[in-house]
Amino acid sequence: MEESLAKSQETEKRDILSMITRVLTLIAVFLLFIPGANPTKINGLISRNISLFTAGVSYSSLTNGSERAIRMEWVNESTYQILYVMALLMLIGIALVAAGACMSLGNRKLKNLGSVFSVIGSAVAVAANLGVYPCYQQFCTSERLEKVEPSFPMGFYIFLVMDIILLVLSVVILIRQPKAEKGEKCSMEAKYRLFLLLLPFLMLAFVFSYLPLWGWRYAFFDYNSGETLSMDKFVGFKWFTYLFQNAATRRDIIQVMRNTLVMSGLNIATSWVPMFFAIFLNEIRSKKFRRFVQTVTTIPNFISWVLVYAIALAIFSTDGFINTFAMSMGWITEGTNYLMGNSFTWLKMLAWGMWKGVGWSAIIYIAGISGIDQQLYEAAIVDGAGRFQKMRYVTLPGLLPTYCVMLLMAVAGILSNGMDQYLVFSNATNSSTIRVLDLYVYQLGIVSGSIPLSTVVSMAKSIISVILLFSANGISKAIRGESIV
């Protein structure tokens, strides 16, 4: 009994150590993408916006801004090369530790292998971290210290402490971990395997969707691109009030919201088109012809909007196909540029968007049709249903739940029209009707350089979209009894 209790306590201690290791590993992976925690930022020539991940995968990004110092021999290029290798080794080490943390969810053999990975990875990370210090000393010996500005980053100590703790914990776990039995194969429970399959996508969503929210802080500062963000430039809600107090921006916002809501409304009003296209596509008896039609209608989704505009230019410009053909037939004497002008802009954008996306949007409904129980079709045939009756009473009801979810998601994203399409088709004559919210944010931030004001508009858009999402979810739950979030 005492022996069993001791084993249980020992297992519990190992589990606690493994949990601490996983948490520290997660923090280390997170800090890889934080510029402020970059341990390789050891002089003023290295960009303050570069993270350890970028420094380890892009030598050009690491040396960007140091070309003159290298050319003038204020610093040795070999020092940057060594620094780049150290950053890359730190990335490899943390990747090995992360792999070991994932393996710790498996059986004893997999845990032992994971402990080995963690020990090797943390040792490599510690060694690489220490290798940054000689590079710092090299920069300190430069003849132009006022130009190089050597400085020791706080990220060095953060990563060094974490890597040492990970190394100690990994060694302790490896020593105390019981050996696997002979013939035992590496295995892991299905729930952990599924979680690990999902983990990369969660990390990507965090890095590209949630981490950029840190940029919202620019909305509260009087900031210009390239400047340092400091508290002496803090202006509170100045830009929020400016957005509505200034007559020009207020007029622009009203115009932009009108265009955004109209185009989104047209897209929602025609959101049934991909579903009906999928239904009729499914009714084509020839498999070869059906695959041909599906391929032809899906390919435009993978064509960039720049190429789509090139196609439109070749067809509808003054010297395009339509005008050339009409003049050759003697129907007209002078060509007309159909891409210019402010008439029917919304319908033109709707038509191009449908041409580009209807085949791709139909894929989810084609998958939904394949999931409909075939016995329902057999029962409909027995009851004397024809082809259109089966489409009406079997296929369409089977796709309605999917359509409702897609419709509610479209309502939640009513302020997100995208930017590419409207940017390439915009010109001086149609700017009043084609400028949507995403394009307006781009023009404010990138073209005009008003970073704080564009951040305010983007924040408002995101907050309203979240409110619409939960509102649509509440409506769905009240009407259909099903939640989409």
Side-chain angles (χ1 to χ4, degrees):
M1 182 68 179
E2 293 179 358
E3 184 179 354
S4 176
L5 182 61
K7 288 183 178 180
S8 177
Q9 292 176 346
E10 181 69 18
T11 303
E12 185 176 350
K13 291 179 181 178
R14 287 198 306 270
D15 291 341
I16 293 174
L17 293 177
S18 297
M19 183 60 67
I20 295 174
T21 303
R22 293 170 195 147
V23 172
L24 287 176
T25 303
L26 191 61
I27 295 174
V29 172
F30 170 73
L31 291 178
L32 288 178
F33 303 95
I34 304 299
N38 182 8
T40 63
K41 177 69 174 67
I42 56 178
N43 67 41
L45 301 175
I46 300 175
S47 173
R48 66 179 182 272
N49 296 320
I50 186 175
S51 64
L52 176 57
F53 179 81
T54 305
V57 299
S58 176
Y59 179 73
S60 60
S61 298
L62 181 63
T63 58
N64 187 28
S66 305
E67 295 87 352
R68 185 167 181 265
I70 295 173
R71 188 174 61 254
M72 301 295 292
E73 297 184 352
W74 299 342
V75 295
N76 296 326
E77 186 174 6
S78 59
T79 306
Y80 276 100
Q81 293 172 348
I82 295 172
L83 187 63
Y84 170 69
V85 171
M86 294 301 107
L88 180 59
L89 287 176
M90 274 189 273
L91 292 183
I92 294 174
I94 293 174
L96 289 174
V97 173
C102 295
M103 293 178 184
S104 66
L105 299 172
N107 61 354
R108 281 186 295 182
K109 186 171 183 179
L110 197 58
K111 286 180 179 178
N112 290 333
L113 183 60
S115 298
V116 173
F117 271 64
S118 296
V119 170
I120 296 174
S122 53
V124 170
V126 170
N129 215 317
L130 294 174
V132 173
Y133 186 72
C135 298
Y136 167 72
Q137 289 182 318
Q138 176 64 36
F139 288 130
C140 290
T141 61
S142 172
E143 297 178 356
R144 301 295 299 271
L145 288 178
E146 72 281 1
K147 296 290 186 180
V148 178
E149 299 179 3
S151 60
F152 211 64
M154 183 60 65
F156 175 86
Y157 299 104
I158 295 173
F159 272 96
L160 182 61
V161 170
M162 281 200 307
D163 293 339
I164 291 175
I165 294 175
L166 285 170
L167 178 59
V168 173
L169 290 176
S170 301
V171 171
V172 172
I173 293 173
L174 181 62
I175 295 173
R176 302 179 71 169
Q177 185 72 36
K179 302 299 180 183
E181 298 178 358
K182 289 185 178 181
E184 185 179 3
K185 296 182 179 180
C186 295
S187 63
M188 185 183 294
E189 293 184 31
K191 60 180 181 180
Y192 294 129
R193 292 201 304 270
L194 293 174
F195 171 73
L196 293 178
L197 287 173
L198 180 64
L199 186 60
F201 299 99
L202 293 176
M203 294 177 64
L204 288 173
F206 172 78
V207 170
F208 292 104
S209 298
Y210 292 97
L211 192 59
L213 294 180
W214 178 242
W216 279 10
R217 69 190 190 278
Y218 292 109
F220 305 95
F221 291 84
D222 194 1
Y223 174 79
N224 293 317
S225 181
E227 295 181 353
T228 302
L229 203 63
S230 56
M231 287 305 299
D232 60 336
K233 297 181 180 179
F234 181 78
V235 294
F237 291 94
K238 168 190 171 182
W239 296 108
F240 290 85
T241 56
Y242 176 85
L243 184 65
F244 298 101
Q245 289 178 353
N246 184 275
T249 57
R250 188 167 61 246
R251 183 175 61 253
D252 288 341
I253 286 293
I254 293 174
Q255 182 187 88
V256 165
M257 289 301 297
R258 180 201 65 182
N259 297 336
T260 302
L261 293 176
V262 169
M263 292 190 186
S264 295
L266 289 174
N267 288 326
I268 292 174
T270 57
S271 60
W272 53 269
V273 174
M275 181 177 64
F276 277 80
F277 176 76
I279 292 174
F280 285 108
L281 185 65
N282 184 67
E283 294 299 321
I284 298 177
R285 292 181 178 178
S286 174
K287 290 185 178 180
K288 291 184 179 180
F289 183 66
R290 183 166 66 237
R291 290 172 183 171
F292 172 77
V293 173
Q294 186 175 358
T295 302
V296 169
T297 54
T298 305
I299 285 177
N301 178 75
F302 301 99
I303 302 175
S304 69
W305 278 109
V306 176
L307 293 179
V308 172
Y309 181 75
I311 296 172
L313 197 65
I315 299 175
F316 297 105
S317 66
T318 306
D319 299 326
F321 170 77
I322 292 179
N323 284 300
T324 303
F325 179 77
M327 284 190 289
S328 66
M329 297 296 292
W331 297 340
I332 59 175
T333 57
E334 186 178 356
T336 303
N337 192 339
Y338 298 102
L339 298 178
M340 301 291 286
N342 203 27
S343 57
F344 306 106
T345 301
W346 296 334
L347 295 179
K348 292 175 185 177
M349 293 300 101
L350 175 66
W352 282 111
M354 290 182 64
W355 171 79
K356 192 173 187 294
V358 68
W360 177 259
S361 301
I363 290 177
I364 190 170
Y365 296 108
I366 294 172
I369 292 173
S370 64
I372 298 176
D373 191 352
Q374 294 300 313
Q375 292 182 358
L376 295 175
Y377 290 103
E378 295 173 0
I381 293 173
V382 172
D383 291 339
R387 174 176 293 188
F388 286 97
Q389 289 175 318
K390 286 188 293 182
M391 292 164 56
R392 177 181 177 183
Y393 295 106
V394 180
T395 308
L396 187 60
L399 292 179
L400 280 180
T402 303
Y403 174 73
C404 289
V405 172
M406 300 301 294
L407 179 62
L408 291 175
M409 294 296 289
V411 171
I414 196 170
L415 298 181
S416 299
N417 299 98
M419 181 195 72
D420 299 352
Q421 175 184 2
Y422 307 100
L423 177 63
V424 298
F425 278 94
S426 63
N427 53 63
T429 61
N430 63 9
S431 59
S432 62
T433 54
I434 202 172
R435 187 168 57 173
V436 294
L437 194 57
D438 290 324
L439 181 58
Y440 181 63
V441 171
Y442 167 79
Q443 291 175 340
L444 273 179
I446 304 300
V447 179
S448 302
S450 181
I451 303 297
L453 193 58
S454 64
T455 305
V456 170
V457 177
S458 182
M459 284 178 62
K461 172 198 165 187
S462 299
I463 294 171
I464 294 173
S465 297
V466 171
I467 294 173
L468 288 173
L469 174 62
F470 283 98
S471 300
N473 184 65
I475 295 173
S476 173
K477 195 171 183 180
I479 297 176
R480 301 171 56 242
E482 296 181 4
S483 177
I484 61 175
V485 179

